[in-house]
Structure formats: C-alpha cells, structure tokens
Amino acid sequence: MKNILVVDDEPRTREGIRKTLEMWSSGRYRIEIASSGGEALTWLENHDASLLVTDIRMPEINGLELVERIAGMPHPPVVIIISGHSDFEYARTALKFGVVDYLLKPLDKTKLVQAVETALQREQWNGRIERMRKLVDPKLLETVQDEKVYSPQVQKALQYIDEHLGESVSLRETAEHLHMNASYFSVHFKEQTGLTFSDYVTRRRVQRAKELLTGTRLSIAEIAEQAGYQTPKYFVKVFRSLEGISPGQYRQQWLDEDAKIQ
C-alpha cells in the first residue's frame, strides 16, 4: 500500500488532515503522520511516500528545508505545502523545489482533497517518465538527438540497421548497401555517432529487447530471435553485460514498478 506523509507540529491540524485523508482514501493509501521535519526525514529514510503534506513554519527544520533535503532522495514524494500565512516568498521558494500546491490554513477539506488528487496524478506521471528514462539507452538517446546533423550516409545506415535488426546485419553489408568502402564507412560512422558500428548495433538490439520485454509477453527465446540473436544464451550474456541483470530480471523489475504506480 502506498503512503502519504503528513507533517505538522500542531497536533490538531495534523490529526484533522489525517482523518480527512483517511476518509477520502478508503484504504487505498496509508496516512502516516510526523510532528516535525526531523521526524519526517527519519521516517522517509526507511519508507517511501507518494505524497508529502507539510506545514512550512515548524521549529528546527521547517517545511521548505524539509522539501529541499528530500529533493536529493532517489524517489522523492510530490509535495503539498500548507501554511497559516499568505507569504509570496514562501510560495515562490516552494515552487522552485517542485511543490505542486500551496494551501492556506484553516484548510478547506474539499480543496485539500482536490490538491491531494492532483498531486498524486503528478506522482504517477513522474513515475512513468522515470520508467521511460530507464527504458532508453542514454547512448542511443544521444544519437537520436543528434541525428539531424548526420550525413545522409549515416542517416541511411541507421535506417538500414533498424530495418534489419532481427537479421545478421554487418558493417560490410551496410557499407555495400550505401555503396561505400567498409573501412571509410566504419570511421565515418564512429566520427558522427560517437559509437562504433558494432556497439551501436548491440545497443540498438538490446533496446529492442527491452521494448519487447516490457511491452509483450513473448518468451526470452522469442525476444532473442526478434532482436537478432541466434541463441538465447548469447542474448542473455550480451543483455546482462549492458544492463547488469538478466532479461528475465529486467522484465520482473518493470512489472514490479508498474504495479507500484497503478
């Protein structure tokens, strides 16, 4: 079950927020509470939260300091700030740290629930974006971003590789398709993309495999074949060398993360 953490040094306020959110949640979220920024940081070191609802003015560690500290966490929660003071500077600083809403006390229950629902939608969206970033090989992403400056030969080569990824595509075969000398093509390809022909093809095949692992129910052997590998064993070896885990483990991690953001 996902967590929402409420932080406020006023017992009446935090209990009021907790009860309101428990009623709204109907068991979908666990509502946790903390009475200070320090207590919240300690809790967040050992637990994940989808949403943090925090007061600004608290002793020792105030709400903005709390938000700043959690920004460096691997998976920081989205944040709603609450305050008893309409302070533009507080609001502006809060927005700088990615806070999704700024609510004034006394809290209106309807506005609180609306803000929470909006914030959780943002959290789901952030989760999906992060997962898509993990899916894409950063080296390949660089080649896509720079493709507009490639020579016509390299652009045609990239297209040819994609069209024949499931086959035994080679540097010599690609060079012949482009009517180029293989040695010259090899140097030209590396100069423009920053990758050797072999490295690019390997990364592109693993990228195709990741797309199939996360988007289909094909077996590892079927994915290996569609990604251009003659044997599943060699495919698993290459995949592990780039991703650090086996194709099966990668698929399971993706499914586990998918379940978390549903």
Side-chain angles (χ1 to χ4, degrees):
M1 185 183 297
K2 294 184 177 182
N3 298 311
I4 294 175
L5 179 61
V6 177
V7 189
D8 199 303
D9 61 326
E10 299 176 1
R12 187 173 179 179
T13 301
R14 67 173 178 268
E15 283 299 322
I17 296 173
R18 182 182 64 80
K19 290 178 181 178
T20 298
L21 295 185
E22 283 181 343
M23 186 175 298
W24 159 81
S25 171
S26 299
R28 291 174 297 161
Y29 291 87
R30 182 183 292 109
I31 314 302
E32 301 286 347
I33 57 174
S35 60
S36 68
E39 185 180 337
L41 283 173
T42 300
W43 188 91
L44 287 167
E45 287 174 359
N46 301 292
H47 305 84
D48 287 327
S50 298
L51 171 64
L52 170 69
V53 182
T54 181
D55 189 20
I56 281 187
R57 298 198 177 188
M58 297 184 293
E60 297 181 11
I61 299 176
N62 66 39
L64 293 181
E65 291 172 331
L66 173 60
V67 173
E68 184 176 5
R69 291 199 192 186
I70 67 171
M73 291 182 171
H75 303 287
V78 291
V79 181
I80 293 173
I81 288 285
I82 56 177
S83 175
H85 306 271
S86 179
D87 191 316
F88 174 73
E89 285 303 318
Y90 275 150
R92 187 170 67 175
T93 304
L95 290 172
K96 183 178 71 173
F97 290 121
V99 172
V100 298
D101 214 333
Y102 186 98
L103 302 177
L104 291 175
K105 298 178 181 179
L107 294 174
D108 178 278
K109 291 182 180 180
T110 300
K111 289 184 178 179
L112 172 63
V113 168
Q114 288 175 345
V116 167
E117 290 176 342
T118 299
L120 291 171
Q121 288 175 357
R122 170 78 68 86
E123 188 259 346
Q124 284 192 334
W125 178 246
N126 290 346
R128 289 188 173 92
I129 291 174
E130 182 61 30
R131 291 173 76 236
M132 291 307 296
R133 285 175 179 160
K134 291 179 181 178
L135 181 63
V136 179
D137 184 324
K139 291 287 187 181
L140 289 181
L141 187 59
E142 289 176 13
T143 66
V144 172
Q145 290 172 336
D146 294 340
E147 190 169 352
K148 61 181 181 294
V149 301
Y150 290 163
S151 68
Q153 294 94 334
V154 170
Q155 291 185 39
K156 289 178 181 178
L158 296 179
Q159 182 180 353
Y160 182 81
I161 292 168
D162 270 4
E163 291 174 351
H164 297 81
L165 206 56
E167 305 166 22
S168 182
V169 60
S170 68
L171 184 148
R172 183 170 299 279
E173 177 187 343
T174 306
E176 288 177 356
H177 173 73
L178 299 171
H179 307 292
M180 295 178 68
N181 174 273
S183 297
Y184 174 75
F185 169 68
S186 175
V187 172
H188 186 61
F189 188 92
K190 173 70 183 304
E191 285 178 345
Q192 295 227 335
T193 67
L195 298 171
T196 65
F197 181 88
S198 176
D199 192 18
Y200 178 84
V201 171
T202 297
R203 289 178 178 276
R204 188 65 190 88
R205 282 178 169 157
V206 170
Q207 181 67 45
R208 169 74 61 83
K210 288 160 69 175
E211 292 164 1
L212 294 171
L213 284 166
T214 58
T216 75
R217 295 186 178 182
L218 293 175
S219 68
I220 301 300
E222 290 171 322
I223 290 172
E225 182 178 358
Q226 290 199 23
Y229 291 98
Q230 294 183 351
T231 68
K233 184 177 181 180
Y234 184 62
F235 162 60
V236 171
K237 179 181 178 181
V238 173
F239 190 97
R240 189 187 292 275
S241 71
L242 279 183
E243 298 298 320
I245 56 177
S246 71
Q249 291 170 324
Y250 184 91
R251 172 178 269 170
Q252 189 57 54
Q253 280 190 3
W254 187 271
L255 291 173
D256 291 343
E257 290 179 7
D258 191 46
K260 289 180 181 178
I261 65 173
Q262 294 302 318

